[in-house]
Amino acid sequence: MPGDVVLLAAGDDVPADCRLIESFGVRVNTATLTGESRPKVRDTSTTSEEQVALRRDILHAGTSLISGEAQAMVYATGMHTEFGNIARLTQTCMSRCPPLQKEIARLSRWIALFAILLGVVFFLIGHLLGLSFWGNLIFAIGIIVANVPEGLLPTVTLSLAMATQRMAKKNALVRHLPAVETLGAASVICSDKTGTLTQNRMSIRQVFFSGELRELGMLVDAEPLFAIMRHCHDLRRVEQDGQTAWQATR
């Protein structure tokens, strides 16, 4: 309940949104809330951050303590927490009609309008030629039905299915067929995780070495340097006995 004081230690899950009263080396895993995999430091110091999810003196429901101990006071629970706010936004989000369905609906209206006008025209022509009313009406209905594109739906479905098969060969799975055309209609893609776009791969194409930019195949004299770089996370240049050396930390 709001106003309760909770005691948290390393490994505990935060039960509600809390404001820190005391903290000792607190680090919190906020991946469920912000998507960041690195633990964040939380303490009682004040901050000018306007976003509640990024404040240093706040512990949020759904996160967990990686290390340290904390004493905090609850100020929000359930759907009133930041995690609950995200859940409410996902529930109230309305699905929009994909661009392909909009185009098909617009095309269907135009075809239906054209077929009805054509049927009316032939009905009037038959009336002027002296045909019977029922015979003329059946002929006009036949004209209207003949202009309905019955093969439109299976053609669109088949083309989307073929597109999903081509995407599956590139390790991209599509659950809804209209999503294939929606992806093609996207003009802006906002992505936070680098692995989403780079496939989690890094390769060196060019490097600035010995005062000039060189291609990777031209760096014959730099192969020992790259051999060290491939197996370490930290590489720095140091001076030892008047000579330049590379020091690596694994």
Side-chain angles (χ1 to χ4, degrees):
M1 294 293 294
D4 292 346
V5 177
V6 294
L7 301 177
L8 301 170
D12 292 343
D13 294 330
V14 181
D17 284 2
C18 311
R19 188 178 301 276
L20 284 171
I21 301 175
E22 295 181 356
S23 63
F24 304 95
V26 175
R27 293 195 306 160
V28 182
N29 181 12
T30 61
T32 57
L33 187 64
T34 62
E36 295 293 337
S37 58
R38 294 183 178 180
K40 298 297 181 181
V41 177
R42 293 293 183 263
D43 51 39
T44 58
S45 61
T46 58
T47 177
S48 59
E49 181 63 48
E50 296 182 358
Q51 296 185 14
V52 180
L54 302 178
R55 293 180 63 91
R56 293 174 59 93
D57 58 341
I58 298 295
L59 298 179
H60 296 282
T63 61
S64 59
L65 265 68
I66 301 299
S67 63
E69 297 179 354
Q71 181 178 356
M73 183 179 66
V74 177
Y75 71 87
T77 58
M79 295 299 291
H80 298 287
T81 62
E82 289 296 317
F83 200 79
N85 185 32
I86 296 176
R88 184 171 59 255
L89 291 176
T90 57
Q91 294 174 0
T92 57
C93 181
M94 299 180 61
S95 59
R96 297 183 177 180
C97 187
L100 179 60
Q101 293 185 5
K102 292 181 180 179
E103 291 297 326
I104 292 178
R106 188 173 66 88
L107 178 62
S108 301
R109 287 193 295 268
W110 280 106
I111 292 177
L113 180 61
F114 175 77
I116 293 174
L117 291 177
L118 194 63
V120 171
V121 170
F122 275 89
F123 180 82
L124 295 177
I125 293 176
H127 180 71
L128 294 176
L129 294 177
L131 298 178
S132 63
F133 175 80
W134 291 110
N136 196 15
L137 180 61
I138 293 175
F139 180 76
I141 293 176
I143 291 295
I144 294 175
V145 174
N147 282 276
V148 176
E150 298 179 356
L152 178 62
L153 182 59
T155 301
V156 173
T157 305
L158 181 61
S159 61
L160 292 177
M162 295 176 61
T164 56
Q165 291 181 354
R166 289 196 297 267
M167 295 183 67
K169 294 180 181 179
K170 297 183 179 295
N171 300 324
L173 299 179
V174 179
R175 185 173 62 177
H176 299 289
L177 290 181
V180 178
E181 194 275 339
T182 305
L183 181 60
S187 57
V188 177
I189 299 177
C190 299
S191 176
D192 181 38
K193 298 299 181 182
T194 56
T196 305
L197 301 180
T198 63
Q199 297 182 347
N200 221 11
R201 300 176 183 175
M202 297 182 65
S203 60
I204 301 175
R205 300 294 180 86
Q206 294 179 332
V207 64
F208 188 80
F209 184 75
S210 299
E212 59 180 341
L213 187 65
R214 304 185 187 182
E215 298 292 335
L216 185 59
M218 301 171 56
L219 298 175
V220 180
D221 52 348
E223 290 183 359
L225 173 61
F226 288 118
I228 298 175
M229 293 174 63
R230 282 195 296 264
H231 300 286
C232 69
H233 299 292
D234 185 17
L235 184 68
R236 57 181 179 175
R237 187 175 182 177
V238 297
E239 297 288 338
Q240 296 180 353
D241 300 330
Q243 297 181 355
T244 301
W246 297 96
Q247 183 177 359
T249 302
R250 293 184 179 273

